[in-house]
Structure formats: C-alpha cells, structure tokens
Amino acid sequence: MRALTEIHLEEVKSIVKTGRVLTKESDRFSYSFDGSFGTFLPDAVIQTKSVEELAALVRLANRELIPLYPRGQATSLSGGPLPVKGGLVLDLSVMDHVLEVHEEDLVAVVSPGVLTADIHRAAEERGLMYPPDPSSSHVSTIGGNLAENSGGPKGLKYGVTKDYVIGLEVITPEGEIIKTGGRTVKNVTGYDLTKLIVGSEGTLGIITKAVLKLIPKPKASTTMMAIFDSLADAGKAISNMLTAGILPSKMELMDQASIIAVEQFEPLGLPVDAAALILIELDGHPAALQEEADEAAALCQSVGAREVRMPKNKSEEAELWKARKLVSPAIVRIKPTKISEDATVPRSKIPDMCKRLEKIREEYGIHLVVFGHAGDGNLHPNIICDKNDTEEMKRVEQAVEEIFKAAVELGGTLSGEHGIGLMKAPFMEMELGAAGLDMMKRIKAAWDPNNIMNPGKIFPEPGQKLELS
Amino acid sequence: MRALTEIHLEEVKSIVKTGRVLTKESDRFSYSFDGSFGTFLPDAVIQTKSVEELAALVRLANRELIPLYPRGQATSLSGGPLPVKGGLVLDLSVMDHVLEVHEEDLVAVVSPGVLTADIHRAAEERGLMYPPDPSSSHVSTIGGNLAENSGGPKGLKYGVTKDYVIGLEVITPEGEIIKTGGRTVKNVTGYDLTKLIVGSEGTLGIITKAVLKLIPKPKASTTMMAIFDSLADAGKAISNMLTAGILPSKMELMDQASIIAVEQFEPLGLPVDAAALILIELDGHPAALQEEADEAAALCQSVGAREVRMPKNKSEEAELWKARKLVSPAIVRIKPTKISEDATVPRSKIPDMCKRLEKIREEYGIHLVVFGHAGDGNLHPNIICDKNDTEEMKRVEQAVEEIFKAAVELGGTLSGEHGIGLMKAPFMEMELGAAGLDMMKRIKAAWDPNNIMNPGKIFPEPGQKLELS
C-alpha cells in the first residue's frame, strides 16, 4: 500500500475531467468517519459520475498500489467505508442520476448514489414495492445497501437487499467494467457474481449500476402492539405466529430497557413495567387482513400477552411505530457512545440469546439495550457507553466479544445485516473456521491481487484484535 | 486429467469402507448419461453416505488429477453430471438419510440424495412450504437442484432454489469440509459462499448437507385457464396482471404447437385453434382469493381473452394442470429427440422473443414448440428432432445458436434454470464478455487449481462448439 504522491495526484486530476478531486484537509476530514467507530484521513476524495473515469482511477490505483475506498452516505455501522489505509475515497453518493422504473419487467435500474427511500417512492408511485428497508433508508444510498447487503424489519417476510438484486455493472479491482446477471429473475449462466458482489463490502469491486427486482405493492397493511410480562412469552408468540401460517411483514421486539429509554425520551404511554413488547405489521389483501390480524392478536393472548393494542386508524398506527423509531435517538441520550451490534441467531434461540445477553450485561456492568428484528432472529444488542472512559471501554470490548461468542455458539452469526467491516474482522475465523475463511480469501486474492479495494476490511490482519479503548 | 489406474482403484477401495465401488461395465454404463445429450463412460462409480470418505476421495483425486463427477438422479437437461473426462462418478443419490424439519426455525436440514418432492411433503405435513418446484421434483434430488439452482413454475412469486438455501456443508476441491452460512435468514459474515456454490454445477465442490428456508404454506389456492387468439394478447395479460398488483403463484404459457401436441396425445378438450393459453394459479388467504381470481379473469378478458375457464373444484383444477404436464411426454411422440432449451428474457420481451422463435422455426425448418414459465420470462423452446438424422441435427445446431443469440440480444440469458453444463458452454462469452467470464474462471482456478471438480462443464474449452450431429 502506498500513499498518494504529487505525481499520482496530477494523474488523478488528469483522469477526473468531469468531476472533482478534493484535497483540502477540511474536505478530507468530512470523509474520515462513518456511522461506526474511528477516524481515518484519506489522501484525497473523488467525486465523479463517470464510470470510465472511475475505471481509469482503478487502473491507476492497481498499478501504483493506492488504496481505494468506495463510499455512499457512510451510515455504515461496521466501518465499511472507513479509509483505514489512506489513499483515495470514491464518493459515489454523487452518482445519483439514474433511477428508472420499468413497470413491465418489474425492475428498477439505479445508479449507486440514489437514496434507498427514493427507490421506495418511485416504485410505490407505480403500485410496486422495493421491499428492503434498512432503518437508514431515508439517508443511505442504494450503493451502500448493496455493498453491505442491508436488511431491515421487512427481512422476515420479504428478505434482504441481495434477494432483490438481479444484475450489476461493476468495475473490477483491475479496472475492467463488467456486467453480471441482467434483467431476468431467473439466470443460471455461470457463477452468481451478482450475489457474490452484493454484501462483499466493497472489497471485490465498485458497483456503478444495479438492476433491482420489484414486486406488486400489497394492497393494505395493519399494525398491532403486543405487551408481555416475560421475554420468553414474547419469544413464544413470535415462534407460534410463524408456525401458525402467519407471516407478518414486520415483527419488532423491544426489551424493557428500550421501552424505558423511549418513554423517558418522549412519553408515548408505553408500559415501562413490561418485560417486552412486539410490534407486528401484517400486509396483504384487505379481505384477508382483518381475519389475520384477529388471529395474530388471539395468538399473542394465548401465550400470555398482557395486552394487545390494535390501532383504529393510520395515525394511531404511526404512533405505535414511533416507539420503535425512537429507540436509537433515545438511548444515545443516556451516554454518548453507542456500539450497535447485530448478532443474529436461529429464531428458536432468541430466548437463549436474551438470557446470554442478560448475563453479559451483569458480568461486565454495561448498559445494554436489546431491540430489533425478532422475527428473523436479528437482534440489535446496543451497548451505551462513553468512548472517553477507557476503563468502561475495556469492559465494552470484552462484552462485545462475549456477544459474538454467544451468537456463534447458538448456531448464529456475527452479523445479520451491518457487515463485518473493521470491528468484527478479528472474529471471522471463530464463525467460519480456518478453511472457510481461506476459501473467501482465495476469491479476494484472485480478484484483487494487489489488495487495493477497501483494504483492511472483512479479513483480519495477523494478530488483529477488537480495540475500542 | 488422468484415467484411474489399478493402484488408484486399490486406494479408492481402501477409502470407501462403508459404501460401494462399482467398476463393472454395465454399472458404469448406467452412469454414462443424463436427461440431456451424449454418453460418457466413467472409470468407476462410488456410493457412500460418509462425508469423511468422500473428502478422502477428493484429496486422492486432487493429488492424482482424477476427474470427479458428483451426481444425483441425473435428470439434468444440460449435461451437468456427465462424466465427460472419465474418472470417478460420485453417486450422491445414496445420501438420502437426513431430512429434518425444524418448525421453530422455519428450516429443513437435508442430505443431497433426498428427493425434492419428499422435502415438499415433509414441509407440508407441518403446515410449511418449500416453494422451489422443478418439474422433475418427484424424481430429482435436492443435491442436483442445489448444484443447478433449479427453478420451476413457482419462480414467479416465490423465487428459485437459491432463494431458499441459507447454509451448506461442502467438500472443497482440495478435500476440506467447510460450512457456509447457517440457520439464520440474515447473515452477512463475509462473502456469500452459499449462493456462490448453489448453481455452480458441481464445479466448486460437493454439497453434502443443506439448510433450506421454509415459509408458511398458503392456506388456499385456485386455478384458471385463459385462452387467446393472439400470442401478443397473452403476453399483455401476463404483464398487466403483475402491474395490477396480482402476483400469481404460477403463470404458465402454452403456444399453439404445444396445445395441438397435447390434444393429439390425450384429448382434454383444449382449443386447438387458439394461438396460446395461460394457466394461472393464485394462492393466499381464502378470504382474498375469490376476489383476486375474479380480478385476474376480468383482466384477461379486457385484453382480449376468448375464454376464461374457472374450474369448480379441485378435480377440475387438476384437469387443467394436466394439459401443462403432458406437454413434454406429448411432444416426444412427434419425434424421438427433444432439445429442451430455457433461454430467458425480460418479461416485456416475451412477445419479441416469440416472434424471433417463429422466424427461427421457419428459417431452419425445425419443429419448435414453445411453452414454459411465462410469468418470469423463462420460456422453454423445445426442438423436436431425430438425433439419427444428421442433416436435421445440423439445422437444429444452427437454430439453437440462433435461440441463444435472440435471448441475449433481447437482454436475456442463455439459461434460466437448466444450467450451462456442456451444451451452452461455447456461448458463455457471448453473454458475459471476455472480462466477465474471466472473473468466473478466476474463482474456479482459485478453488480448484487442478480442475478436478466436474471438469469440462460451464467453461468453454478453446475452440469448443455446439455439436449435436
């Protein structure tokens, strides 16, 4: 890996004819952090809409061993876009010029800088839906969602970003422009490079265009909130719902700590003495929905729900969802630093995972809040702490490691939707084993022999450890 | 690549302690063909349920450069399991001993030799569903479905095999046993090896176990048949249905040639003068289904359907589906050889593709029948011919090449669900470009440096051409 020299910079400027090359320290600083942890200054930042210019930059970087860091809006919670080895940041959020909906083919074609929420809107205007809905969708770019294979609450019924990507245009780490997949839902022509690249966190190339699958928008939806005196009962409700043939579009869990945090942040009439609540959204045909909602409510009551709130109209529904949306802003009021994990376990292990988390909370004396997409086992254990408190951060480090161990021991995974990035790299082998990790490394080495694409991510460096303090 | 020597055979026998090593010519002959074209004799056939024995065989083959051909029930229509370079066939259909349904996690765990239809049954017994339904599902193994990423009529609404695989146990081409993914629907820990291996046609390793995602079984379904005097109108009905927010579980097209063939094979009262018919299955909540069915029927009529048949009960429904099921047996009555293609185009291009197929039919004087999964653009142009007629087969060769060209020119793909195998390998570069194909080859070389896993498949050999005559 090399730093950018003046000679490189001249060549960079001669390549970027239609865009901008930012080198001022104030500009570079804006690109030194993301939604996670740590600050790393790049040597320069590139903004261009031109795929050819980007490809030429990649060829230069590959020849001169300059690290490249593609980036969207940098809402990453795992350090995905952090320029940990300097080099060039490629600001792809400026590539926001393509957003086509092709109704007849049920696809959207998008450039990476388009905001995910704008895709939601464009699809809905035609009676269609792009289901993946990471919480950040109003501020995050589809390019970032693609790189990280973002999830969200609708993963339970509708799957995640990867399930909706059928074609890509990609600049390889050696600067070739290739197309993968296409506009057909079925395609078995060779290896599935599309699904390999989606979720590879920018380490295998730069996505410059994507073809997304759309589906007809469900005609109606309804919401309810079920309140429980025991976390185990809440877990049972989730599990029974699915085996009873009800597949909610969302099923979100909040534990007592999150309920209290939200209620202190903004009084919404939440039951602060409850052990847990589940927010359920059902969608589908209006003729079926009421019946299904009644069934779901009865099911919650049969496993011991203290109360099931069924809102009477859309504004009451919105009130219920507000509780879930306020969790993140509410908990950072408690302490300034939020370590947001997304360890995921098989659904049936949610109660066990909750117990393990409880134990970790006590053992390390940390402030732990648990909420998330319970329907698909994708919990969000968030540790609220203060990064200036070195002693506390040491305990947080150990607690995070314990959370990962618990998830893997319960047959789960380090990360359900946030990605490995920087913080989880040291734990890869724990989940994958040496041989499994080696097969991933072989792909990286075969595609990016000079390791210029987002170096320092996913794969642990020898002896790398989690460092928060 | 080396042939099996007596010394190798002794080592093979010493490894396979719990299974069988078949070397008699009659046995080997049974393993020399599949559902496609051509006959290739392996040196020996292995049957064992032991993953450790298989891994040891792979290490031997990798050391001695012996070709390995994993195989299920060999219903492949693209030559997937053909032992084109001799060596060892691994008969994985004997690994049928694991079929567990874990209701709480909504997953099934299966070994590769289990028949796909048995997975359907096991899931349905618990009120769940494993949606992928290739036509061969009553005779094909899940291992073969995984290797080929099989599709089927339900692809339109529910996706294909790959969409339901969340974890694998795999023997790598160097004989390591690795696990990919797991039991969680969300998993972004490193590269998605699961989705890379599914559909890689046995060229990247041997799948010895899979974790499949299940979903709640829809509570009801209904069927209708819409009959059209013009193929273009049928295409419009398909397209309008989807944009109107109706997502059928199946939407199958039969052209006039297939209607006539079926009616001659077994009179079912099909309209032999119609240009096309569509068979539609809707599924979901019973309260919604009748309304949706009426809407779908009205929609077909509004774009010019001559007639919409709505069966009154399940046995009348079964009659309608019989028409579609009989297409394959009916057309081989006409001539003995069936070249079954699955070129797939974006939905909106179905009418254009139909025109191109019409032109190809006339230009090469071939007997071409078109049917298939129209809802997802996955047509099945079948050429009915006689492999002993060299002159005809020359014309068939050219026609097949023209079908591939038409699909790619219309923004589609060589193969929607049958795989590349042997016959389509020469056309890979046409769809992928040299750089795209090169990125696939790099993965193959990095994982299987000695090219022992299913050699001769997917990747064209220098100068390789389609040869049917």
Side-chain angles (χ1 to χ4, degrees):
Chain A
M1 292 294 105
R2 295 196 203 144
L4 205 69
T5 65
E6 279 305 315
I7 300 168
H8 293 149
L9 194 60
E10 284 317 304
E11 191 173 344
V12 166
K13 285 177 180 166
S14 76
I15 289 170
V16 184
K17 290 194 184 70
T18 67
R20 297 167 71 197
V21 180
L22 311 177
T23 53
K24 275 198 299 188
E25 191 168 348
S26 58
D27 286 332
R28 292 187 288 128
F29 181 74
S30 310
Y31 289 86
S32 67
F33 53 89
D34 66 2
S36 73
F37 219 80
T39 311
F40 305 87
L41 215 56
D43 297 330
V45 177
I46 313 295
Q47 294 180 323
T48 175
K49 289 182 201 288
S50 161
V51 178
E52 288 67 30
E53 290 176 10
L54 285 170
L57 286 174
V58 174
R59 290 191 293 272
L60 160 65
N62 185 48
R63 193 187 75 216
E64 298 294 329
L65 309 185
I66 299 162
L68 291 179
Y69 292 96
R71 172 186 173 110
Q73 286 282 14
T75 56
S76 173
L77 296 171
S78 60
L82 292 177
V84 293
K85 297 191 185 293
L88 296 177
V89 163
L90 308 174
D91 178 4
L92 303 173
S93 71
V94 303
M95 293 185 86
D96 58 356
H97 51 300
V98 182
L99 172 49
E100 305 161 8
V101 174
H102 299 270
E103 266 172 275
E104 284 194 318
D105 289 333
L106 291 185
V107 300
V109 179
V110 297
S111 52
V114 172
L115 295 186
T116 307
D118 289 337
I119 302 173
H120 290 155
R121 249 191 304 274
E124 281 170 23
E125 278 167 14
R126 322 281 182 103
L128 300 174
M129 172 161 82
Y130 171 67
D133 61 340
S135 309
S136 60
S137 59
H138 57 296
V139 283
S140 64
T141 64
I142 185 67
N145 289 187
L146 292 164
E148 302 292 322
N149 186 23
S150 300
K154 283 193 178 155
L156 168 61
K157 178 167 182 175
Y158 290 106
V160 295
T161 300
K162 178 169 299 187
D163 299 311
Y164 293 87
V165 192
I166 57 174
L168 294 174
E169 180 186 78
V170 176
I171 304 172
T172 72
E174 292 175 329
E176 297 272 1
I177 301 167
I178 64 168
K179 287 192 169 65
T180 71
R183 284 202 191 192
T184 61
V185 184
K186 285 181 177 168
N187 182 326
V188 292
T189 296
Y191 299 157
D192 195 336
L193 302 185
T194 307
K195 289 186 170 27
L196 176 66
I197 292 165
V198 173
S200 65
E201 306 191 18
T203 63
L204 294 178
I206 300 167
I207 297 170
T208 52
K209 204 176 271 183
V211 185
L212 307 175
K213 183 173 93 165
L214 305 176
I215 60 172
K217 186 172 151 39
K219 289 176 180 162
S221 70
T222 187
T223 289
M224 70 187 71
M225 179 189 275
I227 300 162
F228 294 86
D229 289 325
S230 127
L231 201 54
D233 290 347
K236 215 178 293 165
I238 292 167
S239 178
N240 289 7
M241 192 89 60
L242 296 164
T243 45
I246 303 172
L247 189 57
S249 47
K250 301 181 190 175
M251 190 144 57
E252 297 285 302
L253 178 79
M254 288 169 61
D255 76 345
Q256 188 167 26
S258 10
I259 299 171
I260 293 173
V262 170
E263 198 58 20
Q264 283 176 347
F265 183 71
E266 185 174 330
L268 291 171
L270 298 179
V272 290
D273 61 330
L277 61 81
I278 315 177
L279 272 159
I280 300 165
E281 183 191 86
L282 298 163
D283 68 4
H285 196 283
L289 215 52
Q290 191 52 53
E291 201 177 312
E292 226 172 46
D294 292 343
E295 217 179 315
L299 205 146
C300 288
Q301 264 144 354
S302 77
V303 296
R306 172 213 290 195
E307 184 192 342
V308 180
R309 296 185 185 174
M310 316 265 277
K312 289 188 196 62
N313 49 50
K314 287 287 154 191
S315 86
E316 281 186 34
E317 260 184 51
E319 274 292 296
L320 293 190
W321 282 108
K322 198 173 177 188
R324 171 66 181 87
K325 285 210 183 95
L326 288 180
V327 175
S328 281
I331 57 182
V332 287
R333 282 283 186 90
I334 302 168
K335 283 189 182 185
T337 308
K338 180 168 75 107
I339 307 289
S340 179
E341 288 309 332
D342 65 329
T344 302
V345 293
R347 272 183 202 96
S348 62
K349 301 292 183 194
I350 291 178
D352 291 345
M353 186 66 181
C354 288
K355 273 180 221 152
R356 294 283 293 258
L357 291 172
E358 190 52 48
K359 228 182 115 194
I360 292 168
R361 182 190 340 232
E362 280 163 27
E363 192 165 339
Y364 296 97
I366 50 166
H367 200 104
L368 183 71
V369 179
V370 182
F371 58 98
H373 320 313
D376 53 24
N378 182 196
L379 295 175
H380 288 314
N382 272 240
I383 302 175
I384 312 305
C385 48
D386 180 351
K387 68 176 168 189
N388 299 313
D389 182 342
T390 318
E391 184 278 326
E392 181 181 28
M393 293 312 282
K394 277 275 166 228
R395 280 183 283 124
V396 173
E397 262 171 27
Q398 293 167 319
V400 167
E401 187 163 345
E402 288 300 317
I403 292 173
F404 293 149
K405 270 191 200 154
V408 172
E409 282 171 22
L410 291 170
T413 180
L414 296 174
S415 181
E417 56 183 22
H418 293 170
I420 296 302
L422 207 55
M423 209 185 277
K424 298 183 198 104
F427 306 98
M428 288 286 277
E429 197 172 320
M430 181 169 88
E431 178 172 338
L432 301 168
L437 185 56
D438 175 57
M439 296 318 270
M440 291 187 187
K441 283 184 185 162
R442 290 185 190 202
I443 296 173
K444 171 69 174 172
W447 276 42
D448 183 12
N450 294 325
N451 192 27
I452 58 155
M453 283 304 311
N454 208 3
K457 307 299 167 60
I458 296 186
F459 300 107
E461 306 203 339
Q464 191 184 332
K465 285 197 175 152
L466 174 66
E467 275 176 34
L468 299 172
S469 49
Chain B
M1 290 297 105
R2 295 197 203 145
L4 205 69
T5 64
E6 279 305 316
I7 300 169
H8 293 148
L9 194 59
E10 283 316 303
E11 192 172 344
V12 166
K13 285 178 181 166
S14 77
I15 289 170
V16 183
K17 289 193 185 70
T18 67
R20 298 169 68 198
V21 180
L22 310 177
T23 53
K24 276 199 298 187
E25 191 167 349
S26 58
D27 286 333
R28 292 188 291 127
F29 181 74
S30 310
Y31 290 85
S32 67
F33 53 88
D34 67 2
S36 73
F37 218 81
T39 311
F40 304 86
L41 215 56
D43 297 329
V45 177
I46 313 295
Q47 294 179 324
T48 174
K49 289 182 201 286
S50 160
V51 178
E52 287 67 30
E53 288 176 12
L54 285 170
L57 286 173
V58 173
R59 289 191 293 271
L60 160 65
N62 185 48
R63 193 187 74 215
E64 298 295 327
L65 308 185
I66 299 163
L68 291 179
Y69 292 96
R71 170 185 174 112
Q73 287 282 15
T75 56
S76 174
L77 296 171
S78 60
L82 293 177
V84 293
K85 297 191 185 291
L88 296 178
V89 163
L90 307 175
D91 178 4
L92 302 174
S93 72
V94 302
M95 291 184 86
D96 59 355
H97 52 299
V98 183
L99 171 49
E100 306 161 6
V101 174
H102 299 270
E103 267 172 278
E104 283 195 318
D105 288 334
L106 291 184
V107 300
V109 179
V110 297
S111 52
V114 173
L115 295 186
T116 307
D118 289 336
I119 302 172
H120 290 154
R121 248 190 305 272
E124 282 169 24
E125 278 167 15
R126 321 282 182 103
L128 300 174
M129 173 161 82
Y130 171 68
D133 61 339
S135 309
S136 61
S137 58
H138 56 296
V139 284
S140 64
T141 63
I142 186 69
N145 290 187
L146 293 165
E148 301 292 322
N149 187 21
S150 301
K154 284 196 177 153
L156 168 61
K157 179 167 182 175
Y158 290 106
V160 294
T161 300
K162 179 170 299 191
D163 298 312
Y164 293 87
V165 192
I166 58 174
L168 294 175
E169 179 186 79
V170 176
I171 304 172
T172 71
E174 293 174 330
E176 296 272 2
I177 301 166
I178 63 168
K179 287 194 168 63
T180 72
R183 284 200 189 191
T184 62
V185 184
K186 286 180 175 168
N187 181 328
V188 293
T189 296
Y191 300 158
D192 195 337
L193 302 185
T194 307
K195 288 185 169 31
L196 175 66
I197 292 165
V198 174
S200 66
E201 305 191 17
T203 64
L204 294 179
I206 300 166
I207 298 171
T208 51
K209 203 176 270 184
V211 185
L212 307 175
K213 183 174 92 165
L214 305 176
I215 60 172
K217 185 172 154 39
K219 290 177 179 158
S221 69
T222 187
T223 289
M224 69 187 72
M225 179 190 275
I227 299 162
F228 294 88
D229 289 324
S230 128
L231 200 54
D233 290 348
K236 215 178 292 164
I238 291 166
S239 180
N240 289 7
M241 193 87 63
L242 296 164
T243 46
I246 303 172
L247 189 57
S249 47
K250 301 182 189 174
M251 190 144 56
E252 297 285 304
L253 178 79
M254 288 169 60
D255 75 346
Q256 189 166 26
S258 11
I259 299 171
I260 293 172
V262 169
E263 199 58 21
Q264 283 175 347
F265 182 72
E266 183 173 331
L268 291 171
L270 298 179
V272 290
D273 61 331
L277 61 81
I278 315 177
L279 271 160
I280 300 165
E281 183 190 87
L282 298 163
D283 68 5
H285 196 283
L289 215 53
Q290 191 51 52
E291 200 178 313
E292 228 174 43
D294 292 342
E295 218 179 315
L299 206 147
C300 288
Q301 264 143 354
S302 76
V303 297
R306 173 213 287 195
E307 185 192 343
V308 180
R309 296 185 185 175
M310 314 266 277
K312 287 185 199 64
N313 50 49
K314 287 286 155 192
S315 84
E316 281 186 35
E317 262 185 48
E319 274 292 296
L320 293 190
W321 283 109
K322 195 173 180 188
R324 170 67 181 83
K325 286 211 182 94
L326 288 180
V327 175
S328 282
I331 57 182
V332 287
R333 282 282 185 90
I334 302 167
K335 284 189 181 183
T337 309
K338 179 169 74 107
I339 307 288
S340 180
E341 288 308 333
D342 64 328
T344 302
V345 294
R347 274 184 200 97
S348 62
K349 301 292 183 196
I350 291 178
D352 291 346
M353 186 65 182
C354 288
K355 274 180 220 153
R356 293 283 293 260
L357 291 171
E358 191 51 49
K359 230 183 112 193
I360 292 167
R361 182 191 340 232
E362 279 163 28
E363 193 165 337
Y364 296 97
I366 51 165
H367 199 104
L368 183 71
V369 179
V370 181
F371 58 98
H373 321 311
D376 54 23
N378 181 197
L379 295 175
H380 289 314
N382 273 239
I383 302 175
I384 313 304
C385 48
D386 179 353
K387 68 177 169 189
N388 299 314
D389 182 341
T390 318
E391 183 279 326
E392 181 182 29
M393 293 312 282
K394 274 275 164 228
R395 282 183 285 121
V396 172
E397 261 171 27
Q398 293 167 321
V400 167
E401 187 162 348
E402 288 300 318
I403 292 173
F404 292 150
K405 270 191 200 156
V408 172
E409 281 170 23
L410 291 170
T413 180
L414 297 174
S415 181
E417 55 183 23
H418 294 171
I420 296 303
L422 207 55
M423 210 187 275
K424 298 182 198 105
F427 305 99
M428 287 286 277
E429 196 170 323
M430 180 169 90
E431 178 171 336
L432 301 169
L437 184 55
D438 175 56
M439 297 317 272
M440 291 187 188
K441 283 183 185 163
R442 290 184 190 202
I443 296 173
K444 171 68 174 171
W447 277 42
D448 182 13
N450 294 327
N451 192 28
I452 58 155
M453 281 305 311
N454 208 1
K457 307 299 167 61
I458 297 187
F459 300 107
E461 305 203 339
Q464 191 185 334
K465 284 195 175 153
L466 174 64
E467 275 175 35
L468 299 173
S469 50

